[in-house]
């Protein structure tokens, strides 16, 4: 609608998304229900406290709008699965190799393809590797780290959508200039760690071919073209939300409208309901953020912030706190949302906050036993989230040291 210059009925979108969560609530896992319910309940209690105790004016009609743009982007990105085979998976040409080269290929394949296709890439590459037998621990760790580290820079990740919503004045180019090299450093760190701890000589890996990179590279170019040339007034979140479904539909239309309708219907009935866990978490975290922000503003008269100045020491402390909460079982979006609600940042500091949030997401989801990637690996391949956490602690500590160094450099640069 914004592309056509029409106003966005955000309230209707938010209400529809929340209605979907309510209808699918019984299908959520027990942990997911507890976490989402605690987030939403706490947010509502804080909103009520702000209104009743401090007599704050609450825009009740808009309390469901938190993170709606992010969830809309998640739904839009999911349509990329319609590009490809009859089963709805994007093609992944490539062959299996073994040893260090194969493990490096697994990490790089998941990292580059997952930068656009998100979590679905883990299953695509993982299922291909499982043709050679059940996945081993180094293969699972490569899948985990390859995807989670893409959160450091990819504009297609939910992490970037959340950050762009919380820090609208962030400079994406600055974050990319720091995050992309750090993502590659995470790959080198992973390969060195896995080579030292495991005998990789007979471990099958994934070998990328040029054809497997065409689609994600083309999508990234299209997003940048729209952002900088065709629709500069739209945010990257909005561009991704409409562009990926449009490309997916266009790729199916040559096979006829009935074929396209059948694919879209299958996606709506199977893939979208399967996203209920992450959608409920993002929406409930958005409600928590609204409640925290309203309560803190009402209780302090909008005069209190967590830090008077958000520099390198404060940023590093915030990063470590969010990662620690992820190890304890909280999704990084909770820590990021809570931090954002306690800060009042000028434009120059929003870029530093954005990098902190993305880095905490990348490290936290790799090591957190209840993160989406680890829960997905547990459900698909039977590896416990606790095992993944223990084997990722050293990697997370080393990557955290690099992140703290990057925070100091970025703070000096801004």
């Amino acid at each position: 609608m914004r592309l056509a210059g029409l106003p966005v009925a955000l309230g209707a979108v938010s209400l529809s998304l929340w209605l979907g969560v309510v209808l699918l609530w019984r299908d959520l896992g027990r942990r997911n229900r507890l976490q989402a319910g605690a987030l939403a309940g706490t947010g509502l209690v804080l909103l009520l406290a702000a209104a009743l105790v401090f007599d704050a004016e609450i825009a009740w009609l808009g309390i469901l709008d938190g993170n709606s743009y992010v969830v809309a982007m998640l739904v839009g990105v999911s349509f990329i699965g319609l590009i490809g085979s009859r089963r709805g998976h994007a093609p992944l040409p490539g062959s299996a190799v073994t040893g260090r080269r194969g493990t490096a290929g697994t990490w790089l394949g998941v990292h580059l393809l997952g930068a656009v296709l998100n979590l679905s890439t883990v299953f695509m590459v993982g299922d291909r590797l499982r043709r050679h037998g059940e996945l081993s621990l180094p293969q699972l760790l490569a899948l985990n780290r390859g995807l989670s580290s893409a959160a450091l820079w990819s504009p297609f990740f939910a992490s970037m959508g959340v950050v762009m919503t919380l820090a609208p004045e962030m400079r994406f180019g600055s974050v990319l200039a720091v995050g992309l090299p750090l993502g590659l450093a995470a790959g080198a760190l992973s390969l060195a760690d896995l080579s030292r701890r495991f005998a990789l000589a007979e471990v099958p890996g994934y070998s990328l071919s040029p054809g497997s990179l065409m689609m994600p590279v083309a999508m990234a170019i299209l997003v940048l073209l729209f952002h900088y040339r065709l629709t500069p007034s739209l945010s990257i979140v909005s561009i991704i939300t409409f562009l990926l479904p449009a490309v997916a539909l266009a790729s199916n239309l040559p096979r006829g409208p009935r074929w396209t309708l059948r694919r879209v219907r299958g996606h709506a009935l199977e893939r979208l309901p399967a996203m209920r866990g992450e959608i409920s978490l993002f929406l409930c975290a958005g409600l928590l953020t609204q409640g925290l922000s309203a309560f803190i503003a009402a209780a302090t008269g909008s005069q209190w912030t967590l830090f008077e100045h958000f520099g390198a020491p404060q940023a590093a402390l915030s990063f470590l706190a969010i990662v620690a909460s992820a190890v304890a079982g909280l999704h990084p979006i909770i820590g990021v949302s809570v931090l954002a609600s306690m800060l009042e940042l000028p434009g120059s500091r929003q870029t530093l906050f954005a990098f902190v949030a993305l880095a905490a997401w990348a490290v936290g989801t790799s090591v957190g036993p209840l993160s989406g990637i680890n829960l997905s690996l547990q459900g698909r391949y039977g590896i416990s989230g606790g095992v993944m956490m223990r084997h990722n602690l050293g990697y997370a500590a080393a990557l955290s040291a690099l992140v703290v160094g990057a925070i100091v450099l970025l703070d000096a640069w801004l």
Side-chain angles (χ1 to χ4, degrees):
M1 294 178 72
R2 283 188 171 175
L3 183 65
L6 300 174
V8 178
L10 181 59
V13 173
S14 303
L15 188 60
S16 300
L17 292 171
W18 277 96
L19 181 59
V21 171
V22 171
L23 292 175
L24 294 170
W25 184 260
R26 293 180 59 186
D27 296 327
L28 290 174
R30 181 175 177 273
R31 283 197 185 110
N32 206 180
R33 284 201 306 270
L34 289 174
Q35 200 166 34
L39 292 175
T42 304
L44 285 173
V45 168
L46 290 173
L47 285 169
L48 288 171
L52 299 177
V53 178
F54 299 101
D55 200 26
E57 292 187 10
I58 306 296
W60 294 105
L61 294 179
I63 64 170
L64 300 181
D65 294 344
N67 286 343
S68 291
Y69 284 119
V70 179
V71 174
M73 188 195 76
L74 282 174
V75 173
V77 168
S78 73
F79 277 84
I80 207 70
L82 295 179
I83 300 177
S85 67
R86 291 174 178 267
R87 298 179 60 188
H89 296 310
L92 285 179
S95 56
V97 292
T98 58
R100 286 171 56 92
R101 180 186 167 197
T103 302
T106 299
W107 183 93
L108 187 61
V110 174
H111 187 81
L112 294 180
L113 297 172
V116 175
L117 303 179
N118 288 266
L119 188 58
S120 60
T121 307
V122 170
F123 301 139
M124 295 155 138
V125 175
D127 287 354
R128 182 177 291 269
L129 293 177
R130 194 158 60 169
R131 296 176 184 175
H132 305 276
E134 288 302 314
L135 297 189
S136 62
L137 186 55
Q139 289 175 311
L140 292 164
L141 290 171
L143 292 173
N144 166 291
R145 299 175 184 182
L147 183 72
S148 59
S149 55
L152 287 163
W153 62 271
S154 172
F156 301 94
F157 252 60
S159 57
M160 189 67 77
V162 170
V163 165
M164 288 178 174
T165 301
L166 298 175
E169 297 181 47
M170 65 164 278
R171 298 208 301 261
F172 175 70
S174 299
V175 172
L176 184 65
V178 178
L180 185 55
L182 192 61
L184 297 177
L189 183 64
S190 293
L191 185 60
D193 176 56
L194 295 178
S195 299
R196 178 180 59 84
R197 295 170 52 204
F198 300 98
L200 301 179
E202 301 301 322
V203 175
Y206 180 74
S207 177
L208 277 172
S209 71
S212 57
L213 296 178
M214 289 181 61
M215 192 271 288
V217 170
M219 290 306 308
I221 291 173
L222 274 176
V223 169
L224 295 177
L225 176 64
F226 272 83
H227 182 59
Y228 289 107
R229 293 292 181 184
L230 300 180
T231 57
S233 61
L234 293 184
S235 67
I236 289 183
V237 174
S238 299
I239 292 171
I240 292 172
T241 301
F242 80 79
L243 185 59
L244 269 67
V247 171
L249 291 175
S251 71
N252 282 271
L253 281 175
R255 305 194 65 168
R258 293 183 63 185
W259 164 269
T260 305
L261 181 60
R262 187 161 61 249
R263 294 291 300 279
V264 172
R265 182 176 182 274
H267 184 79
L269 295 178
E270 297 175 13
R271 176 68 183 106
L272 294 183
M275 297 172 63
R276 56 189 176 272
E278 53 196 305
I279 288 176
S280 63
L281 187 63
F282 283 123
L283 289 175
C284 293
L287 182 56
L288 171 66
T289 303
Q290 298 226 29
L292 272 171
S293 300
F295 181 80
I296 291 172
T300 63
S302 300
Q303 299 299 315
W304 182 85
T305 58
L306 181 62
F307 302 115
E308 291 185 7
H309 173 70
F310 193 71
Q314 296 80 11
L317 181 62
S318 300
F319 162 77
L320 294 173
I322 297 173
V323 171
S325 71
V327 174
L330 297 179
H331 194 284
I333 189 178
I334 301 172
V336 170
S337 299
V338 170
L339 177 63
S341 68
M342 298 188 201
L343 297 176
E344 190 68 37
L345 300 175
S348 61
R349 297 290 92 187
Q350 288 190 23
T351 300
L352 182 61
F353 165 81
F355 176 72
V356 167
L358 294 172
W361 195 298
V363 178
T365 53
S366 71
V367 73
L370 299 180
S371 68
I373 173 65
N374 281 330
L375 288 176
S376 298
L377 290 174
Q378 177 175 330
R380 189 85 162 199
Y381 305 116
I383 182 71
S384 134
V387 170
M388 295 296 290
M389 180 189 73
R390 290 195 300 274
H391 284 274
N392 270 328
L393 283 174
Y395 162 80
L399 185 55
S400 293
L402 294 179
V403 168
V404 171
I407 287 173
V408 173
L409 292 176
L410 183 60
D411 180 52
W413 180 22
L414 293 173

